[in-house]
Amino acid sequence: MSSEARHSWSAAAIGDAQRAEYIGFLHREPFVIDAYRLGFTVGVREDYSYQSKLRNVEVPIEILDNDFRNPDLDRYIKRFEQSEPSIGMLGDAYDRQEARRYNQAGRELKRKFPGTEVIIVPKCHEAIDVIDEDMILGYPMGYSDQTADEYTDIVDWRGRRVHLLGASPTKQYPVIEELTQPRVTGEEPADIVGVDWNGVHLAALHGEYFSPHGYGSADHLSIRETVRESLRHIRSYWKSRGVWPTVEKDRTPLTAEPMDPVWAADGSRATVNGLEDAIVVEYENGQTLAYRSEHERDRVEYRAGLTPTEVHD
């Protein structure tokens, strides 16, 4: 092995490769408020606009994700230009042609918005080489229809800037080690730019918080408190593994309670805490109502003849 290759395996070099620039959490208000205060980089999916419509809840959209179930690149770019996030998860490329299209769109966004980071998720082996070196490769884990190990080998991601998509931190970290640790074949480590995982909200709905040692019972906590507890454990875990960013961003204080009224289906005023388990629906007549169940929603909409414009669950 050359002296240059040996140098690349120094402890400092591996530590730098594993140190992320951001840890993402994409969700709605009020959960992103707590994540933002804890130092996470927050954002939303392009088709989601819940917190952006609450007048005094100013949560920045730092990451803009795409609607992977209904992808539309033109729609995404329009939302991107409105929000101007610092990180854009552009889309999933299932073949070389799609990779080229996303790559060209990424080039254009980076030209219009200097300093923007663009993530493209290669969903086939052939897509990787099409994507420019200055783009971030999204490494699919979690609930993806295809995970990276189904169509690539770890070596395919070495030497590239990588963002791990989905899966808990305790599942992500072994992958980070595989992507960065020395190999006898000499490939340089991947540069772990970021990770994200939003599964703590689903766990909270089941009465559990995440910890590196397993899930704990949160029956004594509210949904919001449970998510916050999980986020604290995630931050602590990534710090202990040397993945949490060294330089944390300055955080502007945020308002936690919305000014705009949301009403429960029974006519009472609904608070933010009361919305955590609710189905929140906006209607053409300007109303925003919160329901305890789909059954309650169906009954009220049928009787009142309401036409929904947007649903937040």
Side-chain angles (χ1 to χ4, degrees), residues 39-304:
F40 288 80
T41 298
V42 299
V44 293
R45 212 170 65 189
E46 57 164 305
D47 58 322
Y48 205 83
S49 58
Y50 187 84
Q51 65 255 35
S52 65
K53 293 187 177 181
L54 299 175
R55 285 178 288 153
N56 68 327
V57 181
E58 297 181 359
V59 183
I61 298 178
E62 299 174 302
I63 303 176
L64 184 65
D65 197 3
N66 63 88
D67 183 1
F68 64 94
R69 292 189 179 91
N70 180 32
D72 184 317
L73 184 56
D74 293 335
R75 184 188 65 222
Y76 179 88
I77 291 173
K78 182 178 180 181
R79 179 71 192 275
F80 188 101
E81 291 175 342
Q82 292 170 347
S83 305
E84 296 188 28
S86 55
I87 303 160
M89 295 186 183
L90 206 55
D92 298 357
Y94 286 89
D95 54 46
R96 291 179 67 89
Q97 182 177 355
E98 202 165 26
R100 290 191 185 97
R101 182 167 180 246
Y102 281 126
N103 195 64
Q104 183 59 43
R107 288 176 182 172
E108 187 64 18
L109 286 175
K110 290 171 77 70
R111 185 187 66 79
K112 288 183 179 179
F113 303 96
T116 295
E117 295 282 20
V118 173
I119 300 170
I120 302 173
V121 185
K123 284 293 185 74
C124 68
H125 184 273
E126 295 75 22
I128 292 179
D129 291 338
V130 176
I131 300 169
D132 288 350
E133 294 283 338
D134 64 341
M135 306 289 178
I136 300 171
L137 299 181
Y139 188 98
M141 299 179 66
Y143 294 111
S144 173
D145 60 341
Q146 295 183 59
T147 55
D149 57 1
E150 294 180 48
Y151 55 90
T152 60
D153 185 80
I154 281 291
V155 70
D156 298 317
W157 304 81
R158 307 281 296 205
R160 297 296 300 261
R161 304 175 72 223
V162 176
H163 173 105
L164 272 61
L165 295 154
S168 68
T170 49
K171 292 180 179 178
Q172 288 177 332
Y173 186 63
V175 175
I176 290 176
E177 289 191 301
E178 287 188 70
L179 288 165
T180 57
Q181 291 296 326
R183 291 173 60 91
V184 294
T185 45
E187 296 87 7
E188 63 180 302
D191 178 9
I192 306 303
V193 179
V195 302
D196 77 89
W197 181 50
N198 310 318
V200 296
H201 182 258
L202 181 60
L205 294 177
H206 288 93
E208 296 180 326
Y209 66 87
F210 167 83
S211 86
H213 310 294
Y215 289 89
S217 174
D219 291 341
H220 59 297
L221 300 175
S222 71
I223 299 297
R224 182 174 182 179
E225 290 169 336
T226 304
V227 172
R228 189 187 303 129
E229 182 71 9
S230 294
L231 292 171
R232 289 194 183 108
H233 278 289
I234 291 172
R235 182 177 66 171
S236 177
Y237 178 78
W238 284 134
K239 284 186 174 183
S240 73
R241 294 297 185 270
V243 176
W244 189 266
T246 303
V247 179
E248 298 191 25
K249 301 175 183 178
D250 292 333
R251 292 307 195 187
T252 303
L254 298 175
T255 302
E257 304 300 329
M259 182 185 300
D260 295 327
V262 178
W263 301 92
D266 61 8
S268 63
R269 179 67 177 266
T271 64
V272 169
N273 286 338
L275 296 178
E276 290 173 3
D277 294 319
I279 302 163
V280 181
V281 186
E282 298 173 21
Y283 294 98
E284 287 184 348
N285 64 4
Q287 281 184 294
T288 301
L289 299 178
Y291 301 99
R292 289 173 294 240
S293 67
E294 286 288 354
H295 176 74
E296 182 180 53
R297 175 191 168 190
D298 291 342
R299 177 171 53 81
V300 172
E301 287 182 348
Y302 177 75
R303 290 183 176 178

